[in-house]
Every structure is written in structure tokens, then in C-alpha cells.
Amino acid sequence: MPNLTAADTIRILVSTDNHVGYNERDPIRGDDSWKSFHEVMCLAQERDVDMVLLAGDLFHENKPSRKSMYQVMRSLRLNCYGDKPCELQMLGDGTENFQGAFNHVNYEDPDINVAIPVFSIHGNHDDPSGEGHLAALDILQVSGLLNYYGRTPESDNIHVKPVLLQKGRTKLALYGLSNVRDERLFRTFRDSKVKFYQPSAQKEDWFNLIAVHQNHHAYTETGYLPENFLPEFMNLVIWGHEHECLIDPKFNLEMNFKVMQPGSSVATSLVPGEAVSKHVAILSISGREFETENIRLKTVRPFIMEEIVLHDDKEASRLARKDNNRTQITRILEKKVSDMIDRANNEWLEIHDTNGEDENDESQIPLPLIRLRVEISTPDGGNYDCENPQRFSNRFIGRVANVNDVVQYHRRKQNASSMRKAADGVSDEVVMSSLQGLDSIKVEKLVREFLEAQSLTILPQNSFGDAVSQFIDKDDKHAMEMFVNESLATQIKHLLTLDRSSRDQEDDDAEENQLMEAIEKYRTQLEDLFAKGHLKRVRGGKKRVKPRPKEWDSEWEGTWEEQPGALLRSDNEEANSEEDQDESDETPRPAARSNRGKETGTGRGRGRGRGRGGRGAGATSSTRNSATSSKKATTNGRGRKKATHEDEEEEEEEEDDVVMVDVDSDESDSQAIFVRDTAPKRGRGRGRASRASPVKRVSARAAAPRATQSKLNFTASQASVVGRQRNGSQAGVSDDIEDDDEEDFEPVPAKSRRR
């Protein structure tokens, strides 16, 4: 279009990623974000633009604080309302672009007078959420301060319709694509589920402008928006989300449009991309041609970032081989940071001197952001003893804004080229063949190779590898803990069954050597049983965990059941707790003991299949049960008659977990046969006990309450077997039987007898 005048030019102030509310609780940097946004809106009024375009992330959070919302509404009202009429004409139907009760542009509202309309899409920080799927921008729109467009109600079926504006003879089709998760948007474009609409008439006369808020670079394979996904009829793309300021439009030869990346107006991270000076741009569109005017923001806090390599520095390289070089290194870094602070202050003064403003007073200079990356690699040997980063940063309190992270230490990573040089002479076929075998390596093999160089005394080696495999392959977080607990429990139980008389040596060293030999022998025996498949871990056992603490927060601290300290015991421990006797034990077994109720008894309690055959088949208690029974065994006679409510509940839970055990009469067989009875019957338990216990010894004191028995205590009875084996004498067995029977067969309360 020839002979276009200023009346035909649409002037747009472009800004992105204002992040109002970022770090607002910081005493130094808390007001940086809204001050920069206020400067942007003031520029719009000073330069008398026709409209303002924001490409997402106006707020740093999708639920901004009252302070953030107040500052944004204040800036919009001060700079956008006025008596000047808006020269933009809305051509399309507003209901296609704006939602809610006010589905039209705010400058056409008869109740308010908007001089400079603001159009904005949402970003990933201020996206809609919660009930009603509303965003903070919806509040600004319903209040008449902003025009919120470019919504994406369905992320897998997107329709992009333009806002059609006209000024004079210039027609603008303003498209908006608010933020969608990058991987999902990539898939939606790939499946051709994104549709762009064009004006039906005079398509060649429209200037097509789109604002997007997505990853611009391929951080992952599908975690970005490729430029060639956008339609070819676009003239200019305003790219939000990326904070590095690349304000000058770049031409895409493939798609034949230009891309502008204004960047953020506040530094939200101390990275090189944020250290670039912050700008906004005034876009002047005349017909299908445009030009830009870049404006540097003056209220942005100065940010200087540099990197120093100590082994390349002349002064620092000599200190690598020197001992106690912390003081010298700290002095070098401190001087470097001081120079960066001075340079940041000088840049601030230069920016504000360009307009002749008298702001040379150093008290008005904001504290700068300083980041010094220090590479402490020592390729030639030696070491750099550097001061703690936070302690070093605190040296500059009152001089910098980031007083906790001024310095950042790092070491150089070995790159691919150096690795390739180290592998010179090795053909590609050899390398590929070695890499192909990595997938076939098993965890057990790696553990076995590692443990062969170690010296395990108690834990079985092959079982160790199986536990590690469960931890890695099956994601069983308690596998290692269960393995260690079970191994220690079986070793301790085995040592308790040894003949104490054989260990009564005058020389303590001889006794210790004998114990070590017994432990080593039993460990070897367990490894042999595991190798034969007799000790394979029972898969899928139900774990029992401790009660979750009241102050535990699963959302932040993870699931309580998966924590290492939560495991109490598991069915695997109960199933694998059968004790193996050492073949060298020559202590004669005492006579077998009967079940709690005689074969001809009339007790109402449930019978227990715990008869003792040739070699004590009743030891099936878990580690937890053993600990409980040991505690009960040490109480006095009066205390046995007192049972707490918690013990009764624990006993009721454990009654359903009885493990019935059949043991062969051959004492040389060290592995018992486990048969789990999920619902044991009373008669069955009593009959099994009678067959396994041909000899019965029950004290007279325990026989008295047997006729009125109301509940069985399996835990304490199992503990009596351990106590009997430790004592190793017939008299001790009799005492334990009497004590346990009196404890387990509690008398029925008096009111029960009256019933």
C-alpha cells in the first residue's frame, strides 16, 4: 500500500515474561518485578502507542498475592485509562476471542474510557486452574483493565482464531496461542489437531501477528515448539517464555516470517541468558510492512556474570600445588567480585546519564546481582582449597543483592572429544560390541564380582545379590533392610542353640575363634541352601509397617510405606524364620513338650500345632515376635497377670498368621518344610500337636486355668522355646513351661464366670 501515513500505522508496545511477584518476600529484591512492569506501562503512555501486547507470564504465580495484583491493577489503571480515544477498530466478533460476561474488547465498553488497550495471553506461570478454570488474567479482564485472548480450552483440539483490528488502511490479524505443555502441544501439531483461521475477505491485505509462549529450543526431542509448525502466512511471531533478550527479529528462510524474542523484564535466575540487558520494543505496522524500535529498561537491577578458570589464571595456577592455599584463593576471588560490582555500578550510571538525569548519587544505585562461576579443576595436579560459597558470599553483604550465592564452584566435565582421544586405537566394532553386552549384565553378577574382593562374615553372598536385584529391578525399597534383618536374626538364633559347655573356655580368644568358625560355617551353609533353591526369597510378601506419624506430609516427604525406617516386619520374615541347627551341635535334645492344651483337654482355646519332634520344630517366630516374647519373659510373677489392651490387640492379629510346621524326624536335615495355613482350625491344630508330641510335661500350676482358657498367646510360647534352647537343661525347660503357661493362659474375668 503506497502513501501510508501515521494515521495508518499501528504502534504496539511488545513485552513478555514480566513475572510480577517473583521473589516478592526478599527484603532487597522483592519490588523488582512490579517496578519493571510499571516502567513498561509508563513507556506505553509516554510513547503514545495504540496498544500493548504481552506474550504470557504477566504474573509469576497462577495465584498471585494481593500485593502483586494491586501493583498490576494500579499500573494498568494509571497508564491505560484516559480521555484519548482508541483509534483501533474491532472488525470481528468478540465472542470468538473473549469469554465471560464481558465478551468484547475493553475500549468498546461504554462505561469506561480506555486509551491504551492491553492484549495478553497466559503463560505457564499464570495459567488457569482451580474451580471454574479461571486465571488471574480473567480477573483483570472482568475489571476492564485487560483483554485476555488466545485461550486453549482443549489441549488436544486447538482452534486459533484471530482478533481482527484496523487502523486507517492497516489491517491486523492478531493471533494468540497460550501456553500448553510442550510435549502435548508437539503431539497435537503432529496429529494435525491445531487449526488456524484466516479472514475470509482480502487475505493478502492483513498483517498476521501471533504471540506464543512455549520452549523455543529443543531441550528434549518433543519438549519445544518448532518454528516450522506455525503456518506460513504469518508475518511476525512474538515468542514468549524464553528469558534471553533477542529483541531484533530474525528471519526464518524456510517459513518466510520473522521471529522476535523480547525476553523477560526481570531476572528470575542467575544464568548467562538473564545477564543480557533487558529491552522492550515498539512495533510499528504499516500495511504489510513493519519496523521495530528497541528501548532498554532502566529500572532493571544490574546483573553481571563472569567465569574464571583458576588453572588458567597466572596467579592462581601457582597455588594449586601449595598447601593451605585457601587464604590466597579467597583474596583473588574477592578482588574479582569487587571489580564486577564496580562495573555494574558504572553501567547503571551510564544508562541514566544518557537522558541527562541527575542520578549520579551512588545512594540511588540499586545493589547489583553478581554471579562468579569458578572452575576449580586441576588438570596438572594439586588442589584448590576454596571457602564455603555462602560464607564467601556473605563477605559482600551491603554491596550485592544476592548475598548467599555470589560464587559458584564447578569442575570441568570430561567431554566426548577427550574420551575419544583416550580411546585411540580402539575400533568402532570393538566399542559397539562392548556396549551391546551392557544390557545383558545382571545385578547379581555385578554384586558377586564386587563381593568376591570383600570378606563377608555374617551375610550370605548370593542372598545379598538377590536382595540388591529386588531393590533395583522390582523397586522394593525394603529389600535390603529385610535381608539384613533376616540374616542377623537367623545367625543370632543359630548361635543361641550352640552348646554353651563347648564354649566355656578359659581363653577368651579361643572362645571368639570358635564363634567366628561357627558363624562362617553357618553362612556357608546358608549360601549352599540358597544355591540349591531352598532359601529363595518368598516374593510378594505382605510388608507390615509402623504407624505413620501425625506430622508426616506424604506430598512433600513421600509415601510413608516406602521409607526405610517404616518397615516393621513382613510375611517373608515370618516364612523364612525357621532355624537351622548346626551339625556340630552335640547337646542332647530335651524331651518333647506338648501343646498348650493336652490331647484330652477340654479347654475352649484354639489348639496350637507346636509339637516338638526330634529337633524342635516350633521355632517359627519372626524377629518381632522374639523381641516381644523376650520382654515378657523378664517380667515378674505378678506382672504376668496384667495384660494391656495393646498386647491383646496384637495377639488377636497374630492368631490368623499361625504357621503350621511339619519337620522330618531326621535331625541332619537343616531345612524345615514350611506350609502356611491361612485359616487354621482348632481341631486340626490340636490333632497335629498330639501327633508331634508323644511326651507331654505340663505343670500342675498351669493345668488349673486350662479349663477356662479364653485366648492363646502365641508370642510368649514361642519365646519359651528360645529360652529353653539357651538354657540347654531339662530343669530349665520345665520352669519355662510353667512360667509361659501361666502367662499365656490368662484367667477369665469374674463377670465371665458369672455368665
Side-chain angles (χ1 to χ4, degrees), residues 244-246 262 264 273-279 296-297 300 351:
E244 184 178 4
C245 183
L246 303 175
S264 64
E274 296 276 17
V276 181
S277 58
K278 305 294 185 181
H279 291 79
R296 182 170 182 175
L297 298 178
V300 178
I351 295 173

Side-chain angles (χ1 to χ4, degrees), residues 39-273:
E39 181 188 2
V40 173
M41 299 311 301
C42 290
L43 285 173
Q45 186 184 37
E46 293 172 2
R47 299 301 182 97
D48 193 22
V49 298
D50 295 309
M51 58 175 284
V52 177
L53 177 60
L54 305 177
D57 280 353
L58 172 59
F59 294 99
H60 187 67
E61 299 177 355
N62 61 358
K63 296 179 181 179
S65 65
R66 295 179 182 177
K67 178 182 177 181
S68 299
M69 183 64 72
Y70 168 79
Q71 295 295 348
V72 169
M73 298 179 72
R74 169 179 169 270
S75 297
L76 291 175
R77 183 168 180 175
L78 287 175
N79 297 284
C80 296
Y81 284 1
D83 296 333
K84 187 193 75 166
C86 181
E87 299 181 11
L88 296 176
Q89 181 183 359
M90 181 76 179
L91 299 181
D93 185 6
T95 58
E96 296 287 345
N97 308 106
F98 309 105
Q99 299 178 1
F102 304 93
N103 51 5
H104 55 267
V105 290
N106 60 348
Y107 62 85
E108 291 184 351
D109 195 311
D111 298 325
I112 56 178
N113 191 5
V114 177
I116 303 176
V118 178
F119 292 85
S120 176
I121 63 175
H122 75 252
N124 59 309
H125 282 263
D126 53 2
D127 56 330
S129 64
E131 185 177 359
H133 201 63
L134 298 175
L137 298 181
D138 285 298
I139 300 177
L140 298 179
Q141 178 179 349
V142 78
S143 62
L145 296 172
L146 179 144
N147 300 292
Y148 175 27
Y149 80 111
R151 292 177 172 88
T152 53
E154 300 179 35
S155 58
D156 55 351
N157 187 19
I158 301 176
H159 295 265
V160 184
K161 298 181 180 181
V163 178
L164 302 180
L165 304 173
Q166 182 176 0
K167 180 182 178 183
R169 289 179 291 175
T170 299
K171 299 178 180 180
L172 172 64
L174 180 61
Y175 294 83
L177 182 60
S178 294
N179 178 263
V180 180
R181 191 166 62 88
D182 291 286
E183 291 79 8
R184 178 172 294 180
L185 184 62
F186 189 97
R187 184 172 63 250
T188 307
F189 268 102
R190 183 192 59 194
D191 297 340
S192 301
K193 295 296 183 65
V194 181
K195 186 175 182 180
F196 289 85
Y197 293 81
Q198 288 186 268
S200 57
Q202 301 176 344
K203 293 183 180 180
E204 300 299 329
D205 295 339
W206 292 87
F207 184 89
N208 300 294
L209 172 65
I210 185 173
V212 299
H213 192 96
Q214 303 292 149
N215 281 337
H216 200 180
H217 305 287
Y219 299 102
T220 61
E221 185 176 355
T222 60
Y224 74 111
L225 175 61
E227 292 182 2
N228 55 12
F229 277 10
L230 299 176
E232 296 181 353
F233 61 81
M234 291 295 171
N235 300 104
L236 179 63
V237 179
I238 307 298
W239 209 290
H241 186 63
E242 299 288 349
H243 284 204
E244 184 178 4
C245 183
L246 303 175
I247 196 69
D248 295 323
K250 294 184 178 180
F251 186 72
N252 188 315
L253 295 176
E254 178 184 0
M255 305 304 297
N256 198 28
F257 56 65
K258 292 185 177 182
V259 179
M260 175 193 293
Q261 182 176 304
S264 64
S265 60
V266 61
T268 59
S269 58
L270 303 182
V271 295

